[in-house]
Amino acid sequence: GESVGLHLPTLSVQEGDNSIINCAYSNSASDYFIWYKQESGKGPQFIIDIRSNMDKRQGQRVTVLLNKTVKHLSLQIAATQPGDSAVYFCAENFYNQGGKLIFGQGTELSVKP
Amino acid sequence: DTAVSQTPKYLVTQMGNDKSIKCEQNLGHDTMYWYKQDSKKFLKIMFSYNNKELIINETVPNRFSPKSPDKAHLNLHINSLELGDSAVYFCASSQTRPYEQYFGPGTRLTVT
């Protein structure tokens, strides 16, 4: 079926530590995944994406890993800062169904100073 | 300049009323979407329009009617509002290919 789920609803880390947010998906035919960050009172903001022909993609302080064998992806945030506190969503893009995004439940990241 | 804008940001209304939420994007994108976010932060697609043509309708009650006067605008009209319609509604836009979607700031609808 169409579902994208997260293992942990909340994550608390110390400032400066690395954060890892996990996500499982169910559709083995999916080939495009996106991570979004949503700050309080705002809309989701694109962080990084990855296509199924890649295992890893790096951005500024963020890395996304994709394991197609177990249908799992993760978002790693290096040197987490207070400004990283937000809810993080993984989303699966069904481009053959009009491009709709199927979102996971979200993980709330809290960064302690 | 705001890429995807929505009005109003807050909307408080009584059950049974009809209301509209407007969305505009200045990114030149071909596709626009409406998502609903519930109190548990779960985001779910409602509709999608590509070049003014409806391409996604995710079993949303027919009290909800999207309208796209041009490809830069996608409005959402809701008839006979119910308590369960209370949520945050997000508009988004993207290019036609599977590219990232850009979200607006959201409209918090409260039905009393």
Side-chain angles (χ1 to χ4, degrees):
Chain A
E2 301 169 354
S3 67
V4 181
L6 293 174
H7 295 311
L8 294 173
T10 61
L11 177 64
S12 184
V13 300
Q14 204 71 36
E15 182 178 358
D17 288 350
N18 295 334
S19 303
I20 299 177
I21 301 172
N22 296 304
C23 179
Y25 63 95
S26 60
N27 188 342
S28 58
S30 299
D31 72 348
Y32 183 51
F33 303 90
I34 310 171
W35 281 98
Y36 282 91
K37 172 186 180 184
Q38 186 179 22
E39 297 175 282
S40 181
K42 296 183 179 180
Q45 178 185 12
F46 172 89
I47 302 174
I48 191 167
D49 59 3
I50 189 167
R51 299 187 188 272
S52 61
N53 60 354
M54 303 173 71
D55 296 323
K56 179 180 179 179
R57 189 160 189 223
Q58 289 184 293
Q60 186 177 11
R61 286 200 305 118
V62 295
T63 300
V64 55
L65 300 178
L66 176 61
N67 186 330
K68 295 180 286 294
T69 303
V70 296
K71 292 185 285 188
H72 178 271
L73 66 159
S74 65
L75 177 70
Q76 301 178 2
I77 304 174
T80 313
Q81 303 169 359
D84 295 327
S85 294
V87 177
Y88 289 81
F89 295 94
C90 65
E92 190 176 3
N93 185 284
F94 285 74
Y95 70 92
N96 60 347
Q97 294 183 36
K100 69 178 180 182
L101 290 174
I102 301 297
F103 282 87
Q105 70 179 93
T107 293
E108 184 167 12
L109 176 65
S110 176
V111 182
K112 296 177 289 186
Chain B
D1 289 341
T2 303
V4 182
S5 60
Q6 295 179 228
T7 54
K9 186 164 178 61
Y10 300 97
L11 185 53
V12 181
T13 189
Q14 292 183 327
M15 285 174 55
N17 285 347
D18 303 337
K19 291 294 179 184
S20 292
I21 306 171
K22 295 185 177 181
C23 177
E24 176 181 4
Q25 55 93 6
N26 62 7
L27 298 167
H29 288 163
D30 296 324
T31 307
M32 297 184 71
Y33 312 81
W34 279 109
Y35 289 85
K36 179 181 180 180
Q37 186 171 47
D38 63 22
S39 59
K40 297 182 180 178
K41 298 253 182 226
F42 183 67
L43 272 159
K44 184 174 170 58
I45 181 77
M46 299 174 67
F47 300 104
S48 173
Y49 269 74
N50 178 267
N51 283 318
K52 302 194 296 176
E53 179 184 350
L54 180 67
I55 56 173
I56 296 175
N57 182 339
E58 286 287 306
T59 61
V60 177
N62 57 15
R63 297 184 295 105
F64 291 78
S65 54
K67 286 184 172 54
S68 182
D70 55 62
K71 71 175 189 177
H73 296 84
L74 181 61
N75 304 322
L76 184 64
H77 188 76
I78 315 170
N79 290 326
S80 303
L81 278 155
E82 300 177 358
L83 292 176
D85 297 331
S86 296
V88 181
Y89 292 84
F90 288 99
C91 177
S93 73
S94 73
Q95 295 287 15
T96 304
R97 298 301 297 269
Y99 296 137
E100 68 211 59
Q101 293 180 20
Y102 292 79
F103 284 77
T107 295
R108 181 174 292 277
L109 172 65
T110 303
V111 182
T112 61

